[in-house]
Amino acid sequence: MTLETDLGWAIRLVSTAFSRVATESVANLPGGPRGYLVLVALTGGEPPSQLALAKEVSLDRTVMTYLLDDLEAHNFVTRRPDPRDRRARQVLITDTGRTRLEQVRGSLAAAEARILADLDEREAEQFRALLSKVAQTAQRESIAPVETDC
């Protein structure tokens, strides 16, 4: 095995490069990369509880509370009692949050294109699908980091 075929080397290099360009893209969003992940997670399906959302995006629940406070102060999210469990709070993305998320997604798409520049469209799609499967395995096996950046 050579350095170029070492998984750890490749993941570290891609992660570092993506972190740098992605962080620039989300710098003006409350919470930066974490805020982005929260907004993305809120765009699909039933509004999650704060605790479920923290678990989904691999954030400590205390960090999640402060992050949601900041996102709520900017009117990007709102919280309401969960109708199934009044002790829990559901988190919902607002129209303002959706609009801001779309702006950030455009900026991130340009950043991603820089990282994936040597792949054709089919290869980029395949890479995303395979990486997503590996990430789901890492999350399921609880080997994902406690706090993640974009």
Side-chain angles (χ1 to χ4, degrees):
M1 181 183 316
T2 66
L3 187 59
E4 290 80 19
T5 60
D6 184 78
L7 180 63
W9 174 83
I11 288 174
R12 181 172 174 264
L13 197 61
V14 171
S15 177
T16 300
F18 182 76
S19 252
R20 187 176 53 253
V21 295
T23 299
E24 292 169 8
S25 298
V26 299
N28 293 326
L29 190 63
R34 293 175 180 157
Y36 170 77
L37 292 176
V38 166
L39 293 179
V40 169
L42 293 175
T43 60
E46 179 74 19
S49 69
Q50 253 181 246
L51 188 58
L53 181 60
K55 185 177 180 180
E56 182 178 359
V57 297
S58 299
L59 283 177
D60 176 81
R61 64 182 183 182
T62 303
V63 172
M64 178 59 75
T65 299
Y66 289 118
L67 179 56
L68 290 177
D69 288 346
D70 204 13
L71 289 167
E72 196 167 36
H74 286 83
N75 193 34
F76 293 157
V77 303
T78 188
R79 292 177 270 196
R80 70 176 183 206
D82 187 328
R84 295 170 304 239
D85 179 358
R86 299 299 244 171
R87 297 168 295 166
R89 312 275 292 159
Q90 285 183 320
V91 184
L92 298 94
I93 189 169
T94 64
D95 288 340
T96 302
R98 285 182 194 283
T99 299
R100 184 68 179 109
L101 177 60
E102 288 310 310
Q103 293 166 345
V104 170
R105 279 185 166 157
S107 181
L108 271 174
E112 289 174 9
R114 288 173 52 197
I115 297 296
L116 302 176
D118 290 339
L119 303 179
D120 64 32
E121 191 174 323
R122 184 189 60 73
E123 290 171 328
E125 185 178 314
Q126 186 176 34
F127 176 76
R128 289 175 195 274
L130 292 171
L131 189 58
S132 178
K133 286 175 99 170
V134 172
Q136 289 169 19
T137 300
Q139 187 176 38
R140 184 180 63 250
E141 298 296 324
S142 298
I143 56 178
V146 173
E147 296 181 5
T148 58
D149 286 338
C150 208

